[in-house]
Amino acid sequence: MTMIPNLKIDPQRLWDTLMETAKIGGTPKGGIRRLTLTDEDKRVRDWFRAQCEALGCVVTVDEVGTMFARRAGKDPKAAPIAFGSHLDTQPTGGKFDGTLGVLAGLELLRTLNDLDYRTNAPLELVNWTNEEGSRFAPAMLASGVFAGAFTREHAYSRKDRDGVSFGEALDAIGYRGTEPAGKRRFAGLFELHIEQGPILEKEAKMVGVVTGVQGMRWYEVTVTGQDAHTGATPMYLRKNALLGAARMIDAIDAIAHAHAPDAVGTVGLIENKPNSRNVIPGEVFFTVDLRHPSEATLDVMEREFRAALERCLTPLGLTFSEVRIWTSPAVAFAPELIACVREGAAAAGFTTRDMVSGAGHDAAYLARVTPTTMIFVPCAGGVSHNEAESTSFDECAAGAQTLLEAVLAYDRRLSA
Ligand code: HGY
Ligand code: MN
Ligand code: MN
C-alpha cells in the first residue's frame, strides 16, 4: 500500500501569490481591472507562463489564447487531469473571481514539486480566455470554442464596444496560439471558484460541492425613438428611447420576481445616445441577462420579456430590435468527480454543502467534453463582481487543499 505523504498546500504562499498578482490591474479600491486581452491580461499571462515553466511545466497556448501548463505524470500516455479557471476580470472585479482557481492550481503544482510527488496521470493547469464576457460577449467564449459551442471564427469576430475584435486583441497581446482549440483531451476537470453568492457564508459551510450550473441567456436590445429638443418638444410629441428602456428595465425585474426564488433578470449594460442633457434620447442599447435552473422556465421568461418589448415600447412610438446572442443551457456535473470533491473535502476536514452555481463558469462548457465538476468556497456577504470581493486566507487555503485532495483522489481512482 503506497503511503500517501501528508500533502498540504502552503496557505501563506497561496495568499502571497494572490496578493502579488492582484497588483496586475489593481484598482485604488482594492479590486482588479484586468479585462480580457488587454495589456494587464498580457502581463498576468506572461507572469503565469513564467511561474509554470519555473516548475518544469510545458505551457501551450491554443488558437483562442487559452493557456495549458502540463506537469508530467508517471504514465505519459494517460489522459491528463485538468484544473484551473480564468485570470480575466470584470471592469470593477475582485481579487478572487477566477484568479483563485488558477492560483490554487499553481499552488497544487508547487506543493507536488516541493514534495517530489508524482501523480500517475499528467496534470494540466488551465487559464481560459475571456471567461467574463465583459469586454467580448458572450461569457466563457474560449471554453465554449474548446467544447464546440462556438466556432473559432465566431470568437474572433466578437467585437468590444469600441469595435475592436477578439482576434485583433488576441494578436495585439501576442497570445494567438497555434493549437486547435478543443484538440486536447482530459480525463476530467475540476474548477475551484468563489461562490459569488451568500449561501456558504450564511450556512457556515466551508466548501460547496457544486452539482451543476443554472441556465443562462443573454440578449441585446436597441430601442429607437427620435432625438429632439428637451425644451421645445411637448410631451405628447416625444419618442423618448430612454423612457422606453427604463420601462423595460422595470419589466425585466418584474419578470424575474414573478419566477422567484430561482429566477434572476438583469439589465447590466446601457448606452444612451446622444447622452446630452438637453436632447431627448433617440437611441438606447441595452443588454439583458436571464437565468434559471430550468430551461422550461427560461423559455417562459423569454416569452414574457419579448411580450414586454411590444407592450412597453410601441405605445411610446418607439421601434426596437432584439437578438438573443447567447444561451448556455443548465448543466449537471459528473458524479464521479463530485464524489472526489466530497472525498477531498472530508480528507481535508471541511464542512460541505451541495449547490448549483448561479454564476456561469468555464466548467459549464467543459462538462460537454470531459467529466467535470466545481468546488466553491465562500465570499464575504456573497458579494462578487465588486472591488470589495473578499475571501479569507483560511477559505482560500481550504479551497486549494480540497482541490489538491480531489485531484489526487481522482488520480488514484483512474490508476486503480
Ligand atoms: O456571467 C457570469 O456568470 C460569469 O461571471 N461570467
Ligand atoms: Mn469567474
Ligand atoms: Mn466573474
Side-chain angles (χ1 to χ4, degrees):
M1 160 80 170
T2 45
M3 283 305 293
I4 307 282
N6 191 10
L7 289 166
K8 291 274 182 246
I9 61 108
D10 179 337
Q12 192 60 52
R13 180 171 59 187
L14 171 59
W15 186 259
D16 294 346
T17 303
L18 281 161
M19 295 307 116
E20 176 192 350
T21 55
K23 293 178 191 136
I24 304 175
T27 63
K29 288 186 184 172
I32 301 179
R33 178 185 178 84
R34 205 158 62 204
L35 291 176
T36 196
L37 305 183
T38 58
D39 289 342
E40 292 76 22
D41 189 18
K42 172 176 173 32
R43 282 168 50 210
V44 78
R45 285 166 168 267
D46 293 348
W47 173 91
F48 174 69
R49 179 201 289 275
Q51 296 298 320
C52 293
E53 289 176 344
L55 296 174
C57 295
V58 174
V59 177
T60 308
V61 180
D62 77 6
E63 58 194 350
V64 288
T66 296
M67 303 173 79
F68 304 88
R70 184 184 180 98
R71 182 180 194 263
K74 291 175 194 158
D75 178 357
K77 291 195 295 301
I81 300 172
F83 43 90
S85 191
H86 60 94
L87 290 171
D88 66 307
T89 74
Q90 288 287 334
T92 51
K95 292 191 178 77
F96 305 93
D97 174 359
T99 305
L100 175 61
V102 177
L103 300 188
L106 181 65
E107 177 53 32
L108 185 158
L109 297 177
R110 286 171 167 169
T111 301
L112 295 183
N113 270 23
D114 291 349
L115 298 169
D116 196 18
Y117 182 90
R118 189 67 50 186
T119 51
N120 185 66
L123 302 180
E124 292 210 359
L125 171 56
V126 189
N127 169 34
W128 299 102
T129 305
N130 192 49
E131 186 283 336
E132 289 295 356
S134 173
R135 183 180 179 195
F136 299 105
M140 301 124 70
L141 191 53
S143 53
V145 174
F146 187 94
F150 308 115
T151 64
R152 176 190 60 189
E153 287 67 29
H154 178 74
Y156 288 160
S157 71
R158 303 305 293 164
K159 289 187 187 304
D160 65 15
R161 298 308 294 166
D162 297 324
V164 177
S165 76
F166 180 99
E168 289 163 343
L170 199 57
D171 290 334
I173 65 165
Y175 269 91
R176 186 195 295 241
T178 52
E179 178 175 291
K183 176 172 169 254
R184 62 185 55 216
R185 283 285 169 263
F186 301 135
L189 179 132
F190 295 86
E191 180 171 2
L192 168 65
H193 205 284
I194 57 171
E195 177 199 340
Q196 301 182 292
I199 298 169
L200 289 174
E201 183 184 63
K202 202 159 67 182
E203 297 184 8
K205 295 288 192 310
M206 183 61 96
V207 169
V209 177
V210 189
T211 57
V213 180
Q214 70 175 340
M216 302 173 275
R217 296 184 189 178
W218 283 7
Y219 309 81
E220 292 181 347
V221 179
T222 300
V223 182
T224 305
Q226 185 183 46
D227 290 5
H229 198 292
T230 54
T233 310
M235 296 308 284
Y236 71 90
L237 267 185
R238 296 176 174 214
K239 293 180 180 177
N240 184 337
L242 190 55
L243 175 61
R247 292 195 177 160
M248 278 307 301
I249 291 168
D250 187 54
I252 287 155
D253 190 73
I255 289 166
H257 278 100
H259 296 277
D262 294 330
V264 287
T266 317
V267 172
L269 187 160
I270 186 163
E271 290 171 351
N272 178 51
K273 293 180 180 171
N275 217 31
S276 168
R277 67 191 69 217
N278 50 357
V279 177
I280 298 168
E283 183 180 306
V284 172
F285 169 87
F286 64 84
T287 62
V288 179
D289 177 327
L290 300 179
R291 305 191 193 196
H292 194 281
S294 147
E295 289 301 299
T297 304
L298 272 173
D299 288 342
V300 173
M301 292 169 70
E302 180 173 281
R303 280 199 297 275
E304 291 170 352
F305 154 58
R306 286 174 169 160
L309 289 166
E310 286 293 344
R311 188 177 68 247
C312 294
L313 303 179
T314 307
L316 295 175
L318 302 171
T319 58
F320 62 88
S321 68
E322 172 269 321
V323 59
R324 189 174 77 188
I325 66 154
W326 182 44
T327 176
S328 175
V331 167
F333 286 141
E336 185 175 15
L337 272 72
I338 292 171
C340 290
V341 172
R342 283 196 216 289
E343 189 179 325
F350 299 121
T351 54
T352 64
R353 195 256 201 218
D354 285 23
M355 54 205 310
V356 172
S357 176
H361 300 285
D362 295 306
Y365 275 133
L366 270 294
R368 295 187 182 194
V369 292
T370 192
T372 298
T373 199
M374 293 188 76
I375 302 166
F376 277 174
V377 289
C379 53
V383 170
S384 180
H385 284 190
N386 182 315
E387 292 167 286
E389 181 183 275
S390 173
T391 292
S392 72
F393 178 98
D394 290 343
E395 291 162 341
C396 289
Q401 188 62 37
T402 302
L403 176 67
L404 172 61
E405 301 281 2
V407 166
L408 296 181
Y410 192 46
D411 187 50
R412 289 194 295 274
R413 284 174 183 237
L414 289 171
S415 52

